[in-house]
Amino acid sequence: MTYARLGTGISSGVVIGPVRILYRNELEIPQCSLPPQFIAEEIARYQAALTGAKQHLKDIRGQIPAHTPADIVEFIDTHLLMLDDSTLSRVPIEIISSRECNAEWALKLQRDSLVRVFDEMEDPYLRTRRDDVDHVVNTIMRILLNSPVHHSVKPSQESTYSGYVLVTDELSPADAILMQHQGIAAFITEGGGPTSHTAILARSLGIPAVVGLHHARHCYQNDETVILDGQRGWVIGTPDAHTLTHFHQQRRREQNRFIETIRNRHQPAVTRDGINISVLANIEMPGDIESANRIGAQGVGLFRTEYLYMNRLLPPSEEEQFEIYRETLQRLAGKPLTIRTLDLGADKQINNSSTQTTVPVNPALGLRAIRLALKEPDLFLPQLRAILRVSALGPVKILLPMISNVQELQLILRLLQDTCHALQTQGLAFDPNIPVGGMIEVPAAAINADMFLNFLDFLSIGTNDLIQYTLAIDRVDDEVNYLYDPLNPAVLQLINITLMAGRKFGKPVSMCGEMAGDPRFTRLLLGLGLTEFSMHPNTLPEVKEVILNSNVSQLSQLTQTILRSNDYEQFTNLLNDFQYNH
Ligand code: PEP
Ligand code: MG
């Protein structure tokens, strides 16, 4: 029977395809191919994990009180015996050797085949014994995940989800990249919000997606056909023929509409009253340059480099990054490339969360972005060197994420200076005047924008985080999503303060948060004086269309009136009037 459910559409596109349900535990198992010289080491790691698992169970057995029923002790003994059985002590090792893969993946493959055997058993009692397999395998797996492989190996590209609509409880940005490599058609998550990094990434990777569909895992079955509308947030299970035809037609209409809007791609973004506006692209992967160029972006206003660090066991080296930035710059053919230094932390973790020993209570307020860069110079310096070296080859800018206090910024700038000296000593070329900018994402940075501008060449407003931190709303928590409001008066004041600081110093201020790519806000931002918009390439043609039809001097008078209002009702009325009647 056809049935529809509504979540939050975060990445547009209509997909019709079969469902694949995936639990979070399964997602956290890394899959890597190993060079032959590392196989012996990997086998030793697996054997150590087996020994660790046995010790763990023996410790538990040793702590069981004397009056505990015998079957509990037997239960642990059974698990100990299973650890000695060749299905777990020998076969995974054979898999590591034959498939040249990491121990976690080998164990997962063996677990899957054991579970299949149990599932096929007629006897209901024996069928339930698969829980024992799960339990024992999870014990080994947890130990393995806490002792990751130490050499540089690449995630395997084996396709497991090709063409499927993935249904899961949550998806990290790293998993989203992995899933795209594996060819998923779309995804549905139970949690998550539209400005989470996974959502931004889904848009960038072109994966239609719906988030916040509560209990989704229990609503669909593996291989059931669903229709997913990533714009409206609909998921329709078991569609009938009539519904299928309707959505096939809608898909075609959407494709045609997109072709229509990119007609303005060669037109400069000039307002009706002759103000030149820059429309730039946000990119997550070097390959995104293709769509940025196709759409007529005037350069890259934000390269989120942290994704280069994901789904691998060692961070990219200086040389590897140099090559990536060099190629990206080359493909931009003279247009500017703004490289944001790594913004890892919060919901953008390098490793699976299961491999971390401690999970911070408030990761978004924790060791993130330049805080992490300062704490881990070994991670940061190769990137800084690579960016500096590439600046010798064309217009490159450095963008520092999440600046929040001046002392911290000074430390980063000192590091930058030291790196320049080191390159000079080595005779390596770089642009000594490379523009260095900071992201305004924390209210403190917006309020003190002019103080930061004493040290920086430009600013870029990251509204995704600025809204999160100003309104105290977790970007990834769908329960508070309804409070995420770019039009909140406090948010608009902070944007205005930052733009005013830029004008005072005669230094550029751009915006690269999702707000810059939302055509509903374009006129308001023009009115506030924003002249540089950086956004996902797909939204650029529509934003440009609004720019072409706007008159900034008219808009700025109206926005100033809105900003001056200190009565909430009046503010809302003026804003509504501005949004819908002008
Ligand atoms: C932002 O916070 O607005 C931003 C552009 O950075 P990110 O979305 O990567 O946190
Ligand atoms: Mg941010």
Side-chain angles (χ1 to χ4, degrees):
M1 195 185 70
T2 300
Y3 56 98
R5 299 191 72 232
L6 186 65
T8 309
I10 52 130
S11 177
S12 61
V14 171
V15 167
I16 301 167
V19 159
R20 174 62 68 90
I21 298 172
L22 200 64
Y23 290 75
R24 192 170 150 69
N25 278 344
E26 290 177 51
L27 285 177
E28 290 170 351
I29 300 170
Q31 182 189 5
C32 311
S33 31
L34 293 179
Q37 67 268 33
F38 294 127
I39 299 293
E41 193 184 326
E42 195 60 5
I43 290 173
R45 199 168 71 86
Y46 181 74
Q47 283 166 331
L50 263 185
T51 311
K54 278 185 216 164
Q55 194 51 50
H56 173 71
L57 287 177
K58 281 180 188 159
D59 289 348
I60 294 177
R61 198 178 50 179
Q63 288 161 18
I64 291 177
H67 55 270
T68 306
D71 49 355
I72 300 276
V73 181
E74 276 167 26
F75 176 78
I76 293 175
D77 284 339
T78 311
H79 287 189
L80 273 166
L81 283 174
M82 285 169 73
L83 285 170
D84 275 330
D85 192 85
S86 64
T87 49
L88 289 177
S89 65
R90 185 171 50 78
V91 178
I93 290 174
E94 287 168 1
I95 298 175
I96 295 173
S97 300
S98 60
R99 299 182 73 117
E100 299 184 339
C101 66
N102 56 318
E104 291 90 344
W105 193 248
L107 181 61
K108 182 214 175 302
L109 292 179
Q110 174 64 348
R111 175 206 166 268
D112 290 352
S113 68
L114 288 173
V115 161
R116 256 196 310 277
V117 174
F118 278 101
D119 282 347
E120 279 162 14
M121 285 178 181
E122 294 287 319
D123 183 331
Y125 171 75
L126 282 179
R127 239 187 356 235
T128 60
R129 302 316 295 172
R130 60 162 288 180
D131 291 347
D132 290 320
V133 174
D134 269 337
H135 191 99
V136 174
V137 165
N138 281 343
T139 309
I140 312 171
M141 194 66 89
R142 267 198 301 274
I143 296 172
L144 280 172
L145 288 171
N146 276 318
S147 64
V149 263
H150 294 295
H151 25 262
S152 174
V153 290
K154 290 211 164 59
S156 165
Q157 306 282 312
E158 231 173 76
S159 178
T160 332
Y161 303 104
S162 185
Y164 280 95
V165 176
L166 183 76
V167 176
T168 183
D169 42 0
E170 58 181 89
L171 203 64
S172 70
D175 287 330
I177 297 170
L178 212 56
M179 290 293 149
Q180 198 239 6
H181 282 310
Q182 301 199 355
I184 59 161
F187 70 79
I188 301 166
T189 60
E190 297 189 356
T195 57
S196 71
H197 288 103
T198 303
I200 293 171
L201 204 55
R203 290 192 277 278
S204 161
L205 299 170
I207 311 173
V210 170
V211 301
L213 202 72
H214 296 260
H215 312 295
R217 270 180 302 168
H218 307 295
C219 301
Y220 307 103
Q221 288 172 4
N222 274 327
D223 296 313
E224 170 182 358
T225 297
V226 292
I227 299 173
L228 177 144
D229 182 334
Q231 186 175 13
R232 292 174 186 82
W234 284 343
V235 181
I236 301 172
T238 322
D240 56 30
H242 176 73
T243 314
L244 276 172
T245 313
H246 171 81
F247 276 91
H248 276 301
Q249 283 166 351
Q250 184 182 322
R251 197 162 53 179
R252 263 195 302 278
R253 273 199 305 273
E254 270 180 11
Q255 281 157 356
N256 292 340
R257 203 166 42 235
F258 186 69
I259 294 166
E260 274 281 296
T261 55
I262 62 172
R263 277 188 318 188
N264 68 20
R265 66 185 180 280
H266 297 306
Q267 223 173 323
V270 182
T271 62
R272 282 206 180 141
D273 48 344
I275 314 258
N276 271 311
I277 306 292
S278 297
V279 281
L280 304 151
N282 291 353
I283 63 167
E284 274 77 45
M285 301 286 161
D288 296 344
I289 283 292
E290 293 310 323
S291 44
N293 280 338
R294 200 169 47 241
I295 232 84
Q298 291 165 281
V300 168
L302 170 68
F303 182 174
R304 289 184 165 98
T305 57
E306 51 277 6
Y307 296 112
L308 302 175
Y309 291 69
M310 291 180 183
N311 296 314
R312 49 190 296 151
L313 294 163
L314 282 183
S317 66
E318 176 185 331
E319 272 327 297
E320 186 178 342
Q321 291 194 62
F322 175 74
E323 264 316 301
I324 291 169
Y325 303 147
R326 191 194 57 73
E327 204 190 313
T328 312
L329 188 65
Q330 193 180 28
R331 284 156 92 181
L332 274 170
K335 290 182 273 184
L337 171 63
T338 311
I339 306 179
R340 183 173 73 180
T341 59
L342 50 93
D343 181 17
L344 289 166
D347 59 334
K348 289 184 284 195
Q349 301 290 340
I350 308 183
N351 298 320
N352 290 319
S353 54
S354 57
T355 63
Q356 281 171 280
T357 44
T358 51
V359 178
V361 181
N362 290 309
L365 303 182
L367 200 59
R368 192 190 154 179
I370 57 165
R371 301 171 181 183
L372 182 75
L374 282 171
K375 172 119 194 281
E376 299 203 20
D378 288 350
L379 197 64
F380 183 51
L381 288 180
Q383 175 172 53
L384 214 45
R385 285 177 59 92
I387 301 174
L388 282 168
R389 282 173 54 201
V390 111
S391 71
L393 310 175
V396 171
K397 300 180 199 178
I398 297 183
L399 181 57
L400 302 167
M402 210 186 156
I403 53 170
S404 60
N405 73 68
V406 171
Q407 298 94 308
E408 202 175 39
L409 175 65
Q410 283 174 317
L411 287 176
I412 286 278
L413 294 177
R414 170 80 55 82
L415 220 52
L416 183 70
Q417 218 171 31
D418 293 347
T419 313
C420 289
H421 282 143
L423 291 176
Q424 211 162 20
T425 316
Q426 291 172 279
L428 293 168
F430 64 94
D431 173 7
N433 299 316
I434 182 171
V436 180
M439 297 270 302
I440 299 295
E441 304 180 276
V442 178
I447 293 166
N448 285 335
D450 45 7
M451 258 186 210
F452 288 95
L453 276 174
N454 282 316
F455 302 93
L456 294 167
D457 302 306
F458 68 97
L459 297 176
S460 186
I461 307 173
T463 48
N464 308 336
D465 278 315
L466 186 61
I467 296 167
Q468 156 168 268
Y469 295 129
T470 306
L471 305 181
I473 296 157
D474 192 335
R475 286 166 73 165
V476 295
D477 185 350
D478 68 308
E479 296 287 355
V480 289
N481 234 347
Y482 69 102
L483 292 168
Y484 197 94
D485 180 15
L487 298 179
N488 181 288
V491 173
L492 297 187
Q493 293 293 351
L494 291 174
I495 294 172
N496 190 45
I497 292 172
T498 313
L499 288 166
M500 282 195 318
R503 285 195 288 271
K504 184 168 125 195
F505 278 74
K507 293 185 178 179
V509 176
S510 67
M511 180 180 285
C512 61
E514 295 298 285
M515 192 176 176
D518 190 329
R520 289 174 305 165
F521 307 132
T522 309
R523 288 166 351 103
L524 185 68
L525 295 173
L526 286 170
L528 287 171
L530 185 73
T531 52
E532 262 187 44
F533 292 66
S534 190
M535 67 204 90
H536 183 269
N538 274 354
T539 61
L540 200 146
E542 256 191 279
V543 169
K544 198 199 252 186
E545 203 56 44
V546 180
I547 292 170
L548 293 171
N549 289 304
S550 295
N551 185 319
V552 172
S553 51
Q554 221 175 54
L555 294 173
S556 60
Q557 278 171 21
L558 292 165
T559 39
Q560 285 315 315
T561 314
I562 296 170
L563 282 179
R564 274 196 297 273
S565 164
N566 53 12
D567 175 299
Y568 185 69
E569 205 176 320
Q570 186 195 37
F571 172 88
T572 318
N573 289 340
L574 285 169
L575 196 61
N576 285 340
D577 186 47
F578 175 86
Q579 293 284 86
Y580 302 111
N581 300 329
H582 287 281

